[in-house]
Amino acid sequence: MTEAATTPDEAPAEAEAAPAMQGVRVIEAALATLPLSPGVYRMLDGKGDALYVGKARALKKRVVAYTQVARLPERLRRMVHETRSLEVITTASEAEALLLEANLIKKLRPRYNIVLRDDKSYPWLVLTEDHPYPQITKHRGERRKGASYWGPFASAWAVNQTLTALQRVFLLRSCRDTVFDSRDRPCLLFQIRRCSAPCVDRISKEDYAELVRDAKQFLSGETPSIQKTLAREMEEAAERLEFERAAAIRDRIRGLTHVQGRDRINMEGIGDADVVALHQLAGQTCVQVFFFRGGRNNGNRPYFLSKGEQGPEEVIGAFLGQLYDDLPPPPLVLLSHEPAERALIAEALSIKAGRKVELHRPQRGDKRAAVEHAETNAREALERRMAEGTAQQTLLQGVAQLFDLPAMPERIEVYDNSHIQGAHAYGVMIAAGPSGFLKQAYRKFAIRGPVKPGDDFGMMREVFERRFGRALKEDPERESGTWPDLVLIDGGLGQLSAAREIMAELGAHDIPLVAVAKGPDRDAGREWFHRTGHDPFQLPPRDPVLYYLQRLRDEAHRFAITTHRAGRSKALTTSELDEIPGVGSALKRKLLNHFGSARGVRNAALEDLENAPGIGPTVARKIHGHFHPAGG
């Protein structure tokens, strides 16, 4: 794979030249050096930002089409108008180019592509296998060795439902290894029959291993065989008059039946598959994806795509490439529409998966029913979003009128902070706009400078300097859409004056600032609003705009509190052992289990460290030397 950048020689400026002709000249100049091999091309604007990313079987033949501006749709005409340079990456095949195209679109988010705007990771179930008694728990992020993974699940709710089912039916532990190692009696989960308590030897290693095997069968879709086995075991226990054991097995069978009864769509015999259905309305698109693994419904997730004039066939093709950019494709993908270049997409996904991936648009039967169900969900989700968007726009127009803004705000930022007597101090920023809360734009600021109790002004200064100082450096022309149209801060006239002074020093004095002060006795609905050059005022208690502003403030407060708690918890779980090079979490756990505390490790003699289980002479000398650098 090779990459090249092509930019035309500087031509004499012509004031009357049409912008479209400048873009065409850029593309024509690049054609001279473009190869006929497969690859990906990127159209860039004058700042070097990606306008459009495309793939081609033959780069030169594909890119030349952009010089025929009259034949392009309006969206691509505008793209050519703004193009000032072109970059290409050659690949070994068109399928490889399609995978790279999807990767770059998700990474660069070009304005003129169909972009899947979804920053949330997918939750998985993980079964640890590097412990005598494996743990079942949920997981996000990178996979690690020594564990088996099942998923993806559409949401935390979906994975929690399956985790609860596994606890009820297979009694697997969900506690961390540190908790497991420190217990001397069963926990509450054992009492409510959701764990077999291997931590205190209430089950043998062999019997626990059998539960693990059953859980793996369940997650692989072999539920009927598990039910038959459990039914046989229950009857045998009853015949031996082991009624307590029979009752426990009966509860497991009921739990299994309950799980099966929750599946709304019958997908027996289908194994692993995704159902992808699309609905378009008024220039907007929603795609619903249902994840089935082992024939079980792992939940669904809606995706709302950027506006465009493309038809469903083109949209669903572009969506599939981006969906499976960071997600392993299943063997079967059921679709509501036949994608453009179906064979090429199937080939690319097969390369990514390392096995055959089939794209299928079913016409009848259970598979067609599953697709129709997903289509209904896509339509309803899009209708809800459009209705909510209309209501949201009405509220934002009310905000603009209330605070004399020149137009409806596209981005409102709200700032808050949290600390305890100056300790574990954090400032936070949340953002909201026409589509609701912009959670991918939320920011946390761990306060670096010393904070005195009650010094909210000092915290505000640091947060604003970091937030807007960076914005002024990275986007001084304010073209990225990440500058706020309105800033709300928690406080009264003093906070407003301080914020105004800080913003003036930073050169961002033109951003509207409003301070929201809590009413008497901190009553919601009696807030005072402070603006520079205006008298403080209150809104009527039932005013919809007041409710909206309260939601913004409460969300900022919630985010500040959870951020502070997370930082405080992290600080409580760290110790001076973390500062010793080469001492990881496993070794730290052994030291704490043996010596009881970090202080006990620090005060231990070299001989005691050498005799500690799993430490050894070399590591013991390193630990002792860290705490006694002079050999004392």
Side-chain angles (χ1 to χ4, degrees):
M1 186 182 295
T2 58
E3 180 171 0
T6 59
T7 306
D9 295 334
E10 293 294 330
E14 299 181 23
E16 68 279 5
M21 294 311 298
Q22 295 182 40
V24 170
R25 285 198 295 268
V26 167
I27 296 170
E28 289 176 340
L31 287 171
T33 57
L34 285 185
L36 288 169
S37 58
V40 173
Y41 57 92
R42 284 173 281 177
M43 305 292 191
L44 309 178
D45 63 15
K47 297 195 302 180
D49 294 332
L51 295 168
Y52 185 79
V53 175
K55 62 103 179 76
R57 181 183 304 166
L59 282 165
K60 191 166 189 173
K61 290 183 179 180
R62 179 69 186 91
V63 172
V64 72
Y66 293 103
T67 62
Q68 308 297 320
V69 178
R71 298 182 180 179
L72 297 175
E74 179 60 28
R75 174 178 62 96
L76 295 182
R77 287 182 200 170
R78 295 196 302 269
M79 182 269 294
V80 172
H81 289 183
E82 298 179 37
T83 297
R84 294 297 176 266
S85 60
L86 177 71
E87 292 181 353
V88 299
I89 304 175
T90 59
T91 59
S93 67
E94 188 180 7
E96 185 182 330
L98 186 139
L99 293 173
L100 178 60
E101 175 196 40
N103 179 278
L104 291 175
I105 289 172
K106 287 195 72 174
K107 179 180 179 181
L108 302 176
R109 297 189 172 187
R111 291 203 301 277
Y112 293 101
N113 281 99
I114 299 166
V115 179
L116 170 56
R117 302 185 184 278
D118 182 61
D119 296 322
K120 296 184 290 185
S121 61
Y122 298 89
W124 294 69
L125 270 177
V126 58
L127 185 65
T128 60
E129 295 179 341
D130 54 356
H131 193 280
Y133 297 95
Q135 170 205 21
I136 187 79
T137 187
K138 57 186 176 183
H139 172 80
R140 289 184 189 263
E142 296 183 5
R143 300 189 184 189
R144 60 182 179 85
K145 294 181 180 179
S148 296
Y149 292 83
W150 281 271
F153 290 81
S155 63
W157 180 87
V159 76
N160 285 336
Q161 291 293 306
T162 302
L163 182 60
T164 300
L166 288 167
Q167 290 176 328
R168 292 178 60 181
V169 178
F170 303 107
L171 309 177
L172 300 182
R173 73 177 182 96
S174 56
C175 58
R176 297 190 302 272
D177 289 352
T178 51
V179 175
F180 180 92
D181 293 338
S182 62
R183 293 210 67 88
D184 55 11
R185 60 180 179 177
C187 67
L188 178 62
L189 287 177
F190 174 78
Q191 305 296 333
I192 62 175
R193 296 183 179 179
R194 291 195 179 181
C195 181
S196 53
C199 54
V200 290
D201 299 324
R202 293 297 179 95
I203 185 172
S204 68
K205 188 181 298 184
E206 292 74 19
D207 288 343
Y208 192 87
E210 186 175 345
L211 292 178
V212 171
R213 286 193 297 271
D214 289 346
K216 288 182 176 180
Q217 285 184 323
F218 169 77
L219 290 168
S220 300
E222 300 179 28
T223 307
S225 62
I226 297 172
Q227 275 190 306
K228 291 178 182 178
T229 302
L230 289 175
R232 185 175 63 253
E233 291 180 3
M234 181 178 67
E235 291 173 0
E236 292 173 353
E239 289 175 0
R240 294 193 301 268
L241 305 182
E242 298 175 355
F243 298 118
E244 186 174 348
R245 172 173 165 77
I249 298 174
R250 179 204 61 202
D251 291 343
R252 292 177 61 192
I253 293 174
R254 286 177 177 174
L256 199 58
T257 304
H258 176 71
V259 172
Q260 289 177 291
R262 282 208 321 268
D263 290 342
R264 293 190 58 191
I265 305 176
N266 180 13
M267 296 285 281
E268 290 182 6
I270 201 171
D272 296 346
D274 289 343
V275 180
V276 181
L278 172 151
H279 186 77
Q280 292 184 316
L281 183 65
Q284 299 189 45
T285 301
C286 175
V287 181
Q288 278 276 358
V289 181
F290 281 75
F291 301 98
F292 289 87
R293 295 298 181 267
R296 293 194 65 254
N297 187 352
N298 280 1
N300 63 296
R301 181 183 290 190
Y303 300 84
F304 299 96
L305 307 185
S306 54
K307 293 183 180 180
E309 58 212 34
Q310 301 92 326
E313 294 78 12
E314 183 180 354
V315 171
I316 205 166
F319 173 82
L320 289 173
Q322 295 177 55
L323 174 68
Y324 294 115
D325 177 56
D326 56 358
L327 197 65
L332 177 63
V333 182
L334 302 177
L335 303 169
S336 62
H337 296 78
E338 189 79 12
E341 303 180 305
R342 182 182 68 84
L344 176 63
I345 296 172
E347 179 187 355
L349 296 183
S350 298
I351 292 173
K352 181 175 178 62
R355 50 166 166 70
K356 183 179 179 181
V357 174
E358 179 186 359
L359 303 182
H360 179 52
R361 186 187 178 200
Q363 301 299 318
R364 61 185 65 86
D366 289 343
K367 294 178 182 177
R368 179 58 198 165
V371 171
E372 290 176 347
H373 181 73
E375 284 182 299
T376 300
N377 276 266
R379 174 179 54 79
E380 292 175 350
L382 185 56
E383 290 173 350
R384 284 195 302 270
R385 184 180 178 91
M386 293 179 71
E388 291 167 359
T390 301
Q392 187 84 356
Q393 287 189 352
T394 301
L395 290 171
L396 290 172
Q397 289 167 355
V399 171
Q401 183 177 1
L402 179 65
F403 298 127
D404 300 321
L405 304 180
M408 183 185 77
E410 294 291 327
R411 180 181 175 113
I412 299 174
E413 291 184 357
V414 190
Y415 292 82
D416 199 354
N417 56 59
S418 182
H419 61 92
I420 296 178
Q421 296 297 308
H424 312 303
Y426 284 88
V428 301
M429 176 201 84
I430 69 152
S435 60
F437 289 116
L438 309 175
K439 296 201 172 184
Q440 72 276 12
Y442 285 19
R443 293 293 180 268
K444 308 171 185 177
F445 302 89
I447 302 302
R448 298 166 181 166
V451 179
K452 298 178 182 179
D455 187 15
D456 288 340
F457 293 161
M459 292 182 65
M460 183 194 306
R461 172 173 290 277
E462 180 173 335
V463 169
F464 275 29
E465 286 177 348
R466 288 164 62 182
R467 159 66 177 113
F468 292 102
R470 180 174 181 177
L472 286 164
K473 181 180 179 180
E474 296 181 352
D475 184 27
E477 302 300 323
R478 306 188 186 184
E479 297 177 348
S480 65
T482 59
W483 281 79
D485 301 307
L486 174 67
V487 168
L488 301 178
I489 58 174
D490 183 36
L493 188 59
Q495 281 81 358
L496 177 67
S497 300
R500 175 60 61 195
E501 180 182 337
I502 296 166
M503 296 293 274
E505 292 175 6
L506 293 170
H509 58 276
D510 57 325
I511 296 177
L513 273 169
V514 175
V516 184
K518 299 177 180 64
D521 300 320
R522 307 175 74 86
D523 284 349
R526 303 183 65 187
E527 290 86 351
W528 286 92
F529 296 90
H530 299 266
R531 296 170 57 200
T532 302
H534 295 76
D535 293 331
F537 65 92
Q538 292 177 300
L539 290 173
R542 298 184 182 275
D543 192 314
V545 175
L546 173 62
Y547 287 145
Y548 177 64
L549 295 172
Q550 287 172 347
R551 278 169 45 210
L552 295 181
R553 181 203 59 199
D554 292 345
E555 172 67 2
H557 187 61
R558 179 204 64 80
F559 189 50
I561 292 297
T562 54
T563 299
H564 168 75
R565 286 175 179 166
R568 188 176 60 191
S569 297
K570 183 178 179 181
L572 291 173
T573 58
T574 58
S575 73
E576 51 195 322
L577 299 184
D578 297 315
E579 301 172 4
I580 307 175
V583 174
S585 58
L587 192 57
K588 185 174 75 169
R589 184 166 63 248
K590 291 178 181 178
L591 290 166
L592 292 174
N593 286 341
H594 185 73
F595 291 100
S597 66
R599 182 179 180 181
V601 177
R602 183 178 68 242
N603 295 334
L606 177 59
E607 183 179 0
D608 295 332
L609 289 168
E610 290 176 340
N611 292 331
I615 304 303
T618 302
V619 176
R621 285 194 294 271
K622 180 186 292 186
I623 296 170
H624 191 267
H626 175 81
F627 291 117
H628 307 86

